[in-house]
Amino acid sequence: IFFPYFHTYFPLAFKNYVSNNQNNPHSQNKKNPNTTSKPPNLFCALSIRQVKINFLALDFDQTLISIHTGGRWKGTPTELLSHLRPVFSHLIRLASRQNIHIAIVTFSPQTNCIKSVLEEGFGTELAEYIPIRGNDRTWNYEGSGMRNGKQEHMASAAEELMSRPGFEADCGGGTNDGVIEDVRKDTTLLIDDDPNNIRLCLRDGTRAIWFNPKEPLGLLDCIMRLK
């Protein structure tokens, strides 16, 4: 399925990105499709700010990680971390440095486990800036927007981000460009492997990229092609 990606560029310099995964402690075996033995021909030096995206919402199962837990993971967070895709390991760090807000939006109820994965993978300081919205009954979206798909998950995460003191100034390691920006539909980008979530997202006026689990590095190709 091909989705029109509309006017979405992704920011970030991916120069020297995951070259042979030599510096990634969580990289997969070279036979795994999440890795590559060749440096990706994708050196993105475009800024997400050029298209006014300030909020990146990431699906978890089969997107951020390479497996689907079904919300029933029985192993340790460390074991689950071993399935973190290198493309997102770098993406999250680079996005935070560009003052891009990040959230995890998932149908999994195992949000505590996901939080532990983020803390182990990215450190507590960065992880604490990343809201997690899952089907764990710990949050409610009180707004009037669409509730289908990942829409209410993203809306609730955006509300939390904007309620934080100085949210516009720091995303867990980024630099403050001095511009105060609200998180809105047109400044949000969802990356998800579920085509239905993508359709609903686009229908609701939110930017989105369909992530192909079989071609993880294809995400960067899509980013380069977006306008």
Side-chain angles (χ1 to χ4, degrees), residues 111-131:
T111 52
N112 287 334
C113 180
I114 293 172
K115 180 179 180 181
S116 295
V117 169
L118 295 179
E119 289 175 344
E120 286 195 37
F122 300 98
T124 303
E125 184 176 358
L126 176 54
E128 71 179 9
Y129 285 93
I130 303 177

Side-chain angles (χ1 to χ4, degrees), residues 49-199:
R49 291 294 184 183
Q50 293 177 348
V51 288
K52 303 185 185 303
I53 294 170
N54 63 7
F55 178 40
L56 179 61
L58 301 175
D59 174 49
F60 189 71
D61 288 300
Q62 282 196 324
T63 301
L64 192 70
I65 61 173
S66 61
I67 62 172
H68 202 299
T69 67
R72 298 182 296 274
W73 179 254
K74 298 185 183 300
T76 67
T78 300
E79 292 170 332
L80 190 54
L81 177 61
S82 70
H83 297 282
L84 177 68
R85 296 186 192 272
V87 64
F88 287 106
S89 177
H90 289 255
L91 182 64
I92 288 174
R93 290 182 174 89
L94 290 169
S96 69
R97 293 171 190 165
Q98 293 290 326
N99 210 31
I100 307 301
H101 301 283
I102 302 163
I104 305 301
V105 291
T106 176
F107 293 142
S108 171
Q110 294 184 296
T111 52
N112 287 334
C113 180
I114 293 172
K115 180 179 180 181
S116 295
V117 169
L118 295 179
E119 289 175 344
E120 286 195 37
F122 300 98
T124 303
E125 184 176 358
L126 176 54
E128 71 179 9
Y129 285 93
I130 303 177
I132 302 171
R133 289 297 182 271
N135 292 0
D136 58 1
R137 300 183 180 181
T138 63
W139 57 276
N140 289 298
Y141 171 56
E142 304 295 341
S144 58
M146 180 187 287
R147 296 180 179 274
N148 298 330
K150 296 290 180 67
Q151 297 310 102
E152 66 176 347
H153 295 65
M154 291 188 289
S156 175
E159 288 177 346
E160 177 181 331
L161 287 168
M162 290 188 290
S163 70
R164 294 176 177 176
F167 92 97
E168 73 284 348
D170 193 354
C171 302
T175 57
N176 181 8
D177 57 12
V179 178
I180 298 177
E181 298 176 324
D182 287 338
V183 173
R184 307 184 306 271
K185 288 181 181 180
D186 62 342
T187 68
T188 297
L189 174 64
L190 171 68
I191 299 178
D192 198 312
D193 72 295
D194 188 330
N196 187 57
N197 292 332
I198 297 299
R199 290 190 187 98

Side-chain angles (χ1 to χ4, degrees), residues 19-67:
S19 177
N20 296 319
N21 297 302
Q22 291 177 348
N23 299 317
N24 185 0
H26 307 299
S27 63
Q28 310 293 316
N29 185 285
K30 287 186 178 181
K31 294 182 180 180
N32 189 299
N34 293 308
T35 64
T36 176
S37 60
K38 298 179 181 179
N41 186 24
L42 301 164
F43 297 150
C44 301
L46 301 172
S47 172
I48 199 172
R49 291 294 184 183
Q50 293 177 348
V51 288
K52 303 185 185 303
I53 294 170
N54 63 7
F55 178 40
L56 179 61
L58 301 175
D59 174 49
F60 189 71
D61 288 300
Q62 282 196 324
T63 301
L64 192 70
I65 61 173
S66 61
I67 62 172

